[in-house]
Amino acid sequence: MSEAVGSVFVVVIALAVVGVPVSYGILNVVTTNEILPLAVPLLFVPLATYRAFTTVLSGRANFALAEWALVANTTLKIVFQVAFVVLGFGIWGMVGGVAAGALLILPLVYRWIGVRPSIPSKDSLRSVARFSKWSIPRGFVGTGLSQMDVILLGWLAAAGAAGHYQVALKISMPAVFVSVRSTAG
């Protein structure tokens, strides 16, 4: 288990050193939007780190803690996004809220894992690579599709419009559950 946690740290460092510049370079070439080449790399490392550590956490004895981490992350993310957008940061407020939620919950997730990392062996890294060969592309596609409305709005309209849309969506989401519950009852 300590090598698995160590492998997560190795992958996170590799993402920060290689993934951030590569994603910036690609996005800088394929889009004229000034925000995407900066926002995507800024979100890349915190979200990948959060996802990797919660995956490890869900494999531990008390796997329900991964769900509690998700609840805490979502709550922090929404609170920070709303606060940052209300303060006038627009799309950067949305980006900052997502990053803040993930970064603030990571120490708790790491503590819940309860394993001190060790330097992984080549076999451990190969095992992680075999596992992630299919899960990483699936994660990219799933995340991209789930946020496609915000990405398109920010790209086609304006960053501020995407930020306001996302805040309005987050604020109105509880109303959807109330209306579904009242019509079902």
Side-chain angles (χ1 to χ4, degrees):
M1 189 63 189
S2 65
E3 285 190 31
V5 175
S7 297
V8 171
F9 278 109
V10 168
V11 170
V12 166
I13 291 167
L15 284 175
V17 171
V18 176
V20 167
V22 167
S23 65
Y24 174 81
I26 291 170
L27 288 170
N28 203 27
V29 169
V30 300
T31 183
T32 58
N33 187 305
E34 299 152 3
I35 293 173
L36 285 178
L38 295 172
V40 170
L42 286 175
L43 289 174
F44 192 62
V45 174
L47 293 180
T49 305
Y50 168 78
R51 175 76 55 97
F53 275 110
T54 55
T55 300
V56 171
L57 181 62
S58 66
R60 303 288 290 159
N62 193 351
F63 56 86
L65 289 175
E67 294 301 317
W68 281 106
L70 176 63
V71 169
N73 177 38
T74 303
T75 302
L76 289 170
K77 176 179 80 172
I78 291 170
V79 167
F80 277 104
Q81 285 180 326
V82 170
F84 289 156
V85 170
V86 168
L87 290 172
F89 290 104
I91 194 72
W92 289 111
M94 300 307 299
V95 170
V98 171
L103 290 172
L104 289 173
I105 199 65
L106 273 172
L108 182 61
V109 170
Y110 178 73
R111 182 164 183 217
W112 283 343
I113 291 172
V115 174
R116 190 169 202 167
S118 64
I119 296 174
S121 66
K122 288 180 184 178
D123 288 338
S124 292
L125 290 174
R126 277 191 207 110
S127 176
V128 169
R130 278 193 303 273
F131 172 76
S132 63
K133 178 171 62 175
W134 300 111
S135 63
I136 289 175
R138 181 187 56 82
F140 277 126
V141 172
T143 301
L145 290 175
S146 70
Q147 296 296 315
M148 190 56 67
D149 54 345
V150 177
I151 292 168
L152 286 175
L153 187 59
W155 190 19
L156 298 174
H164 292 299
Y165 165 78
Q166 189 72 0
V167 170
L169 183 66
K170 299 287 184 189
I171 291 172
S172 63
M173 190 56 69
V176 172
F177 293 112
V178 171
S179 65
V180 170
R181 177 72 179 141
S182 64
T183 59

